[in-house]
Amino acid sequence: MAGSEQPPAAAGTDGGLGDRSLSQGLSVLVGLALCVTMLGLGCAVELGQLGQQLRRPVGVLLALLGQFVAMPLLAFLLALLFALDEVAAVAVLLCGCCPGGNLSNLMSVLVDGDMNLSIIMTASSTLLALFLMPLCLWVYSRHWINTALVQLLPLGAVSLTLGSTLLPIGLGVLVRYRHPRAADLLVKISLWSLLVTLVILFILTGTMLGPELMAHIPASVYAIAVLMPLAGYALGYGLATVFKMPPHCRRTVSLETGCQNVQLCTAILKLTFPPQLIGSMYMFPLLYALFQSAEAGLFVLAYKMYGRDSYKQEALGEEEDTDISYKKLKEEEVADTSYGTVTAEERGSVPMEPTQTAL
């Protein structure tokens, strides 16, 4: 009877994930995808922008509040609301504690957002994750502390995986500094590889897990995968509104908050957690990636259909304001230069004063 009580876990480790070579191949693919993503992130960072943000760190503050306050709390509340078990809860919490992903940079371009703000938020949240991601994971997992999975939570391995991302990020920053054109090409490659890799991982994982194990994923997990990015987008927009940011920056912060680095989450689940414990919940970050991309695509479509005209009007209004200010400034300059000047006619004319003859 004891052996029949855990068919999902057994299927997830032996029958579902295939033989050891397939599992190792999937681990290599996950690691390579993470390196390419982090390399592209580093190539998108310019040292001049970092200096500006250090002097006025609004982007860093928004990344801190969005990625390590709002999203972990949202993941924790959803796990409680849907009464998840410890395995599903850890997968959801891990995804909620991840930094922002590169998908938000691409989507920010499509909604006429602030690209500099998007890149700074993604880069700063990735660096902050070295310390804050394990801390948030430890704090919010206390609710399930009496379970074996949480007691064996590999926070050291999580920190090591996060630290390993510094090398490709630093290499990307160096490439940007030395070879800007090559950096632009690498950024495009990383964005396309992000989409292709997610599709490949989703297909391979679903195939190797098998339909039996996929059927054991609770409906509540699917519901959270749908609701969590949507709520993240709303929280990000509200956060930017509180900071009284312009509309294009609000759209940027919204996408940055809801889009998580699912490659990092997948790598941590695959490389640091025992497969016999995590089971089918390895699929959650891939489900999250699917729905965050679909919902971001709807966001972009709605903006293209209804919001772009207002953006053009805002840009036109700014240009008109600039023209009016420029004309006013020129008029003031003309008035200033004409005051107290002597024209050629005035210089040639001699004022004749009436004289009185003495009688």
Side-chain angles (χ1 to χ4, degrees):
M1 294 294 292
S4 61
E5 290 179 357
Q6 294 184 349
T13 56
D14 300 324
L17 284 177
D19 55 26
R20 189 174 185 83
S21 61
L22 284 176
S23 180
Q24 290 177 348
L26 190 60
S27 298
V28 171
L29 178 62
V30 168
L32 288 176
L34 181 62
C35 288
V36 172
T37 301
M38 295 297 102
L39 178 64
L41 175 60
C43 287
V45 176
E46 294 185 5
L47 296 178
Q49 295 176 1
L50 290 177
Q52 292 176 2
Q53 289 298 321
L54 289 176
R55 290 190 293 269
R56 189 173 179 269
V58 178
V60 178
L61 179 60
L62 288 171
L64 173 65
L65 294 176
Q67 299 297 339
F68 302 109
V69 176
M71 289 304 291
L73 180 60
L74 173 64
F76 175 71
L77 293 177
L78 287 173
L80 291 182
L81 179 63
F82 285 91
L84 298 182
D85 59 22
E86 68 277 9
V87 177
V90 167
V92 171
L93 285 176
L94 186 63
C95 191
C97 295
C98 277
N102 284 20
L103 178 66
S104 59
N105 306 142
L106 175 62
M107 293 300 177
S108 294
V109 174
L110 297 178
V111 297
D112 298 317
D114 189 334
M115 193 59 185
N116 290 334
L117 176 63
S118 177
I119 293 172
I120 288 300
M121 287 188 66
T122 304
S124 59
S125 66
T126 303
L127 295 178
L128 289 170
L130 290 170
F131 310 100
L132 295 180
M133 186 177 175
L135 177 62
C136 291
L137 192 59
W138 181 83
V139 169
Y140 287 109
S141 65
R142 296 302 90 190
H143 182 77
W144 296 272
I145 188 60
N146 294 325
T147 61
L149 179 63
V150 175
Q151 289 177 357
L152 298 174
L153 201 62
L155 294 178
V158 171
S159 301
L160 184 61
T161 304
L162 288 167
S164 65
T165 63
L166 290 179
L167 181 59
I169 291 176
L171 181 60
V173 173
L174 180 62
V175 172
R176 166 62 66 181
Y177 180 72
R178 294 286 183 86
H179 308 285
R181 290 186 178 180
D184 292 335
L185 179 61
L186 287 173
V187 169
K188 294 178 182 179
I189 292 175
S190 69
L191 290 175
W192 281 108
S193 67
L194 161 65
L195 302 177
V196 173
T197 303
L198 288 177
V199 172
I200 294 175
L201 283 176
F202 194 85
I203 294 174
L204 288 180
T205 305
T207 302
M208 288 187 289
L209 286 175
E212 296 81 8
L213 191 57
M214 291 286 291
H216 283 88
I217 300 178
S220 57
V221 173
Y222 287 97
I224 291 177
V226 174
L227 294 175
M228 191 168 156
L230 191 63
Y233 295 142
L235 285 173
Y237 198 90
L239 183 63
T241 303
V242 170
F243 277 77
K244 298 180 180 179
M245 304 190 77
H248 70 288
C249 291
R250 295 179 191 178
R251 295 191 294 270
T252 302
V253 177
S254 173
L255 291 167
E256 280 293 327
T257 305
C259 289
Q260 299 295 87
N261 192 335
V262 291
Q263 301 96 315
L264 179 61
C265 183
T266 303
I268 291 175
L269 282 175
K270 186 71 180 71
L271 302 177
T272 62
F273 283 85
Q276 66 271 17
L277 290 180
I278 205 65
S280 60
M281 287 303 103
Y282 171 67
M283 282 292 293
F284 179 78
L286 301 178
L287 292 173
Y288 188 95
L290 175 65
F291 289 112
Q292 82 171 1
S293 302
E295 292 166 6
L298 293 176
F299 188 169
V300 172
L301 181 61
Y303 171 74
K304 296 291 186 183
M305 293 176 61
Y306 303 107
R308 195 157 198 172
D309 292 337
S310 61
Y311 173 77
K312 291 179 179 178
Q313 291 176 359
E314 290 172 6
L316 182 61
E318 291 177 359
E319 291 178 0
E320 290 177 351
D321 291 342
T322 304
D323 291 340
I324 293 173
S325 301
Y326 177 74
K327 291 177 181 177
K328 186 176 180 181
L329 179 62
K330 293 299 292 181
E331 290 174 358
E332 291 177 354
E333 288 179 355
V334 171
D336 291 340
T337 56
S338 63
Y339 179 76
T341 59
V342 180
T343 61
E345 295 179 355
E346 292 174 344
R347 191 182 297 115
S349 63
V350 178
M352 299 296 293
E353 295 183 356
T355 58
Q356 286 184 335
T357 56
L359 293 178

